[in-house]
Amino acid sequence: MIQKRVLNFVLTILVLVFIIFEELVWDRFATPIINYISKLKILKKLEIYLQKMDSKIPLVTFVVIFALVEFLGLYAGSLFLSGKPLHGVLIYAAKIPIAAFTFWMFGATKSKLLEFNWFKKSYYFTVGVIDKIKKSKIYLSIKDRSTKIKEYVKNDI
């Protein structure tokens, strides 16, 4: 009984963090940056160039940039938790445009990246986990509550 409560508490915290990053960071910052850079002429030319390359080059480039972005996120989190929240927030904010470029690059080279079986399996596993999270009772409950809170704040302020 206690194990189940602790597990539910931990899952709730993880889902809350997921929702916060999804709504605050991704929806408000990363998506507009991706939309903006997708329209840049230089990136349209780069996309054509990437499509003509051997699949290994976009793969290595994507993996290196993705690893850098993930490292920056972990580093920002460690700074935040170690009592340097301003540094953590600044590092995290600096990584957002790099992450946006990484996701643009993924979109531009997805067919090439999915040629690699290990990458394809990792991608579909990750998509499956995200889908499972978004269908979970905890996620749906928190989303419902957050929607009600947003509506309340919007209407009463």
Side-chain angles (χ1 to χ4, degrees):
M1 186 80 161
I2 290 177
Q3 284 180 320
K4 188 174 181 179
R5 286 185 182 194
V6 169
L7 180 62
N8 279 339
F9 176 76
V10 170
L11 288 174
T12 301
I13 297 299
L14 291 174
V15 168
L16 274 170
V17 169
F18 178 83
I19 290 171
I20 288 168
F21 281 102
E22 178 184 42
E23 289 193 10
L24 292 181
V25 176
W26 187 255
D27 291 349
R28 296 191 190 256
F29 296 107
T31 299
I33 292 170
I34 292 169
N35 291 338
Y36 174 76
I37 66 175
S38 295
K39 295 174 186 170
L40 295 175
K41 287 182 182 179
I42 191 165
L43 289 184
K44 290 187 185 285
K45 290 179 183 179
L46 178 59
E47 183 174 351
I48 293 167
Y49 183 68
L50 289 169
Q51 290 299 325
K52 293 178 182 177
M53 287 183 166
D54 179 77
S55 298
K56 293 175 187 166
I57 295 169
L59 175 71
V60 170
T61 306
F62 174 80
V63 169
V64 167
I65 297 171
F66 184 79
L68 172 67
V69 166
E70 292 305 313
F71 170 77
L72 287 173
L74 293 171
Y75 182 60
S78 71
L79 287 172
F80 193 84
L81 293 174
S82 68
K84 299 176 184 173
L86 181 61
H87 292 104
V89 168
L90 290 175
I91 295 288
Y92 198 86
K95 94 169 198 134
I96 293 172
I98 301 167
F101 175 79
T102 306
F103 280 94
W104 168 83
M105 185 176 178
F106 175 77
T109 61
K110 183 177 178 181
S111 62
K112 287 191 173 279
L113 297 173
L114 294 178
E115 289 176 14
F116 298 90
N117 197 38
W118 67 269
F119 190 93
K120 184 185 224 177
K121 286 180 180 179
S122 299
Y123 171 73
Y124 286 113
F125 173 79
T126 303
V127 169
V129 169
I130 292 170
D131 189 49
K132 192 172 184 177
I133 290 169
K134 289 185 173 187
K135 289 179 179 175
S136 72
K137 289 180 184 178
I138 293 172
Y139 179 89
L140 295 171
S141 172
I142 293 171
K143 274 299 252 191
D144 184 53
R145 287 181 191 169
S146 69
T147 301
K148 289 176 182 173
I149 291 169
K150 283 189 240 176
E151 288 174 7
Y152 174 79
V153 169
K154 194 176 190 178
N155 293 332
D156 288 350
I157 293 181

